[in-house]
Amino acid sequence: MFDVIIVGGGAAGFYTAIHIAEKSPALKIAIFEKGKTVLSKVRVSGGGRCNVTHAEFIPQNLVLNYPRGQKELLGPFHTHAPGDVMAFFEDRGVSLKIEEDGRVFPVSDNSQSIIDCLLGEANRLDVRVLKNSAVKQISKLENDSWQITTMNKHYSTKHLVITTGSSPKVWNFMAGLGHQIVSPVPSLFTFNIKDERLKGIQGVSKNVSVEIPAKKIFSSKVSVTLKSAVIDEPVLQSEGPLLVTHWGLSGPAILKLSAWGANILNEYQYNFRITVNWMPDYTTGAMENFLWEIKASEPKKTVLRTKAMNIAKRLWIKLVYAAGIENETRWADLTKIQLQNLAMQLTASSFKVEGKSTFKEEFVTAGGIDLKEINFKTFESKIHQNLFFAGEVINVDAITGGFNFQNAWTGGYMVAQAISKRVK
């Protein structure tokens, strides 16, 4: 018999356990982990450095990084925000640093610093960690208590906390208990693109604006004169650094699109077009005017060898070729069509996306326990008393940059406060 059982040995699980144990040291607390290791996602986060959180300390701004959960997390972030998380680790001997883009890492640049801290605190506070303990069944008992069944043993507890992340098996358990599960779809992924313009220029990075135009809607109910209804407004757009990779496009600009457009891009079955403006300070018309000025001022220079603007030479060459301009073509000899094509390539390059790739090891999903069924003052189920959730198991996800961990830390803290108040 435990007072608290936490299912899931990740960031949210350990953070919850530590805070409960500190507030209520008399409670018997256990973490159940299905695998042989705990905190595996912490280990790989940030390329093995662990992106602990993000230095956005204003809750109203912080929630803007969550495509799902924005409204629900505002109150909790007023209670436990990035500054509180940073203080938690620094008070326990883990020095942190804020990088230029706002991401927070341990000074050691090693996720083991965070893992050692969490394991050490759990051990100090007598939290039981049961590895290789996959949950086979979750049953509700009398008096709003719970029974957890593993391979060969039953455990009972008054308070049950689910911190399993994106676990279809656990979502099925919760559905069996009457919870609505928002169907999971991938978030935070990169775009697979096979295009001559991207071949051989891997590693090129550029601040861009990107758009996904709406697909044409064809209807059989309209007259022959109206073959399609075309929506001019893009369905998704973002700005930021873009990175050319071996398989296509990545970087923050792309990851933002994949997070905010998780459901739309799933509907598109990850086959769609993307438009990249490599020079986001220019519209196509303004770029065309600028190129006419270069044509007038540099008539004898070849287009290919002209460093016309702040753009990587390798990318410039690719876009010049894509505009139908040959090696020795001089600006003076550039036709109007070629000049217009080049302006289009620079400000509205269209690429066909065919599939996606997981962003490093940091697989994130949109979906999970329906947010309407959670009390965000306590992160407790509105359907069952003494059943709590924290982390990605609920339908909350964020863009890259430490925000998904912040959701886990905040949820875990809120659960711990609620349980500790209840047992006093």
Side-chain angles (χ1 to χ4, degrees):
M1 172 74 183
F2 290 101
D3 298 298
V4 182
I5 286 178
I6 298 165
V7 181
F14 271 83
Y15 205 73
T16 305
I18 290 165
H19 279 93
I20 295 172
E22 284 191 325
K23 277 268 189 181
S24 306
L27 296 185
K28 291 179 66 180
I29 305 164
I31 296 173
F32 283 61
E33 168 55 45
K34 68 177 181 180
K36 59 184 179 182
T37 59
V38 293
L39 299 165
S40 56
K41 201 162 186 179
V42 173
R43 187 176 302 281
V44 300
S45 161
R49 297 196 296 145
C50 187
N51 186 182
V52 179
T53 184
H54 198 97
E56 177 50 80
F57 302 113
I58 301 171
Q60 288 86 345
N61 294 338
L62 181 59
V63 296
L64 299 179
N65 297 285
Y66 294 82
R68 284 147 290 272
Q70 192 173 115
K71 176 179 61 129
E72 291 81 3
L73 290 176
L74 182 58
F77 283 157
H78 274 95
T79 300
H80 198 74
D84 302 298
V85 173
M86 293 176 70
F88 171 87
F89 286 107
E90 290 184 324
D91 289 348
R92 289 158 180 80
V94 181
S95 298
L96 301 175
K97 60 179 177 177
I98 301 172
E99 299 203 337
E100 193 174 333
D101 60 3
R103 292 182 301 164
V104 178
F105 291 92
V107 170
S108 67
D109 279 329
N110 191 336
S111 59
Q112 195 63 44
S113 300
I114 302 299
I115 293 170
D116 289 344
C117 174
L118 295 172
L119 289 176
E121 285 296 283
N123 183 60
R124 178 179 72 82
L125 296 163
D126 292 325
V127 174
R128 289 272 308 276
V129 180
L130 304 176
K131 300 173 188 174
N132 297 308
S133 296
V135 173
K136 301 297 180 185
Q137 189 175 344
I138 296 175
S139 308
K140 191 171 186 181
L141 305 176
E142 294 179 0
N143 304 320
D144 293 315
S145 294
W146 298 90
Q147 179 175 277
I148 304 301
T149 304
T150 59
M151 185 66 78
N152 50 18
K153 201 166 182 181
H154 300 292
Y155 300 86
S156 60
T157 183
K158 183 65 177 176
H159 307 94
L160 177 61
V161 187
I162 307 296
T163 61
T164 48
S166 305
S167 169
K169 182 180 176 183
V170 172
W171 281 330
N172 286 337
F173 289 152
M174 295 301 105
L177 290 167
H179 269 289
Q180 293 294 314
I181 308 300
V182 177
S183 297
V185 297
S187 180
L188 284 191
F189 50 85
T190 61
F191 296 169
N192 295 349
I193 299 171
K194 293 178 182 175
D195 192 288
E196 187 60 40
R197 289 167 291 177
L198 303 180
K199 282 184 182 177
I201 64 167
Q202 296 85 355
V204 166
S205 181
K206 178 81 173 64
N207 206 72
V208 303
S209 64
V210 284
E211 295 181 352
I212 296 177
K215 288 195 171 184
K216 292 181 180 179
I217 305 164
F218 293 93
S219 173
S220 58
K221 296 180 181 179
V222 295
S223 67
V224 290
T225 56
L226 182 62
K227 293 184 179 178
S228 66
V230 182
I231 304 170
D232 293 323
E233 286 295 311
V235 291
L236 295 163
Q237 57 190 85
S238 76
E239 290 189 18
L242 177 146
L243 176 68
V244 179
T245 69
H246 287 282
W247 57 88
L249 296 176
S250 183
I254 297 299
L255 295 170
K256 281 182 199 173
L257 283 183
S258 72
W260 288 96
N263 290 307
I264 293 172
L265 301 184
N266 181 64
E267 289 174 12
Y268 288 176
Q269 297 182 312
Y270 309 105
N271 283 275
F272 53 92
R273 297 201 77 85
I274 180 173
T275 303
V276 179
N277 184 343
W278 300 99
M279 302 298 297
D281 291 336
Y282 289 83
T283 62
T284 302
M287 177 58 69
E288 191 176 330
N289 290 336
F290 178 63
L291 295 179
W292 279 111
E293 290 176 12
I294 297 175
K295 179 179 167 71
S297 61
E298 306 282 359
K300 294 183 179 180
K301 288 187 177 180
T302 62
V303 178
L304 199 68
R305 296 186 188 91
T306 303
K307 179 76 169 169
M309 54 205 63
N310 184 23
I311 192 169
K313 188 69 175 176
R314 289 188 294 161
L315 176 60
W316 171 257
I317 291 170
K318 288 286 188 177
L319 298 180
V320 168
Y321 284 150
I325 301 167
E326 296 180 353
N327 279 5
E328 300 305 319
T329 302
R330 299 181 307 162
W331 283 97
D333 302 325
L334 207 60
T335 67
K336 180 179 179 181
I337 295 296
Q338 287 174 320
L339 189 141
Q340 289 174 336
N341 286 346
L342 182 55
M344 283 291 291
Q345 289 296 334
L346 286 162
T347 59
S349 289
S350 181
F351 296 94
K352 187 178 182 184
V353 178
E354 298 179 286
K356 59 179 174 54
S357 294
T358 302
F359 177 59
K360 300 180 181 176
E361 298 88 352
E362 298 171 41
F363 185 70
V364 173
T365 58
I369 307 293
D370 194 318
L371 303 185
K372 295 192 295 289
E373 299 175 350
I374 299 167
N375 175 357
F376 279 90
K377 291 182 179 178
T378 59
F379 280 67
E380 184 175 20
S381 164
K382 290 182 179 178
I383 297 174
H384 299 286
Q385 194 171 355
N386 296 328
L387 173 62
F388 300 83
F389 306 104
E392 253 190 85
V393 70
I394 66 177
N395 185 26
V396 167
D397 63 288
I399 63 173
T400 184
F403 300 107
N404 283 298
F405 271 141
Q406 184 60 48
N407 168 49
W409 309 130
T410 295
Y413 179 84
M414 300 294 287
V415 169
Q417 299 307 298
I419 291 175
S420 296
K421 285 178 185 174
R422 199 163 291 180
V423 298
K424 281 185 177 178

